[in-house]
Amino acid sequence: MATQLKTVRPSDLPTKRVRAPDGTVVQMKVVQSDSETLAEDLLAAFRSNVRRIKAEQRKRRAEQDAS
């Protein structure tokens, strides 16, 4: 019998702020390597990153189209 996997949302993961080499502050999702739901945690972090990157690209594209 198959068991249903726990669903992990990106908001369930803790966020850490770090400073990039160029001085900007970057927020990162933190994934615990010994977590029982490691695969789901990684997927949630990946989805969060993709959503953020796509939003930034849309914003840049809209700014370029406006000028």
Side-chain angles (χ1 to χ4, degrees):
M1 179 181 259
T3 59
Q4 185 172 354
L5 297 175
K6 179 183 176 193
T7 303
V8 177
R9 297 177 313 192
S11 61
D12 295 338
L13 299 173
T15 303
K16 176 171 83 171
R17 292 183 181 184
V18 295
R19 191 166 299 278
D22 65 354
T24 60
V25 176
V26 179
Q27 291 187 359
M28 302 171 56
K29 293 293 183 183
V30 179
V31 178
Q32 299 297 324
S33 62
D34 60 351
S35 172
E36 292 180 9
T37 58
L38 178 61
E40 291 81 12
D41 293 351
L42 289 172
L43 180 60
F46 176 77
R47 286 181 176 166
S48 174
N49 288 335
V50 169
R51 185 182 325 108
R52 178 181 47 81
I53 291 168
K54 282 185 158 187
E56 290 172 358
Q57 289 174 344
R58 277 188 227 109
K59 182 178 178 182
R60 271 188 270 144
R61 201 172 308 125
E63 289 174 353
Q64 288 176 352
D65 292 344
S67 49

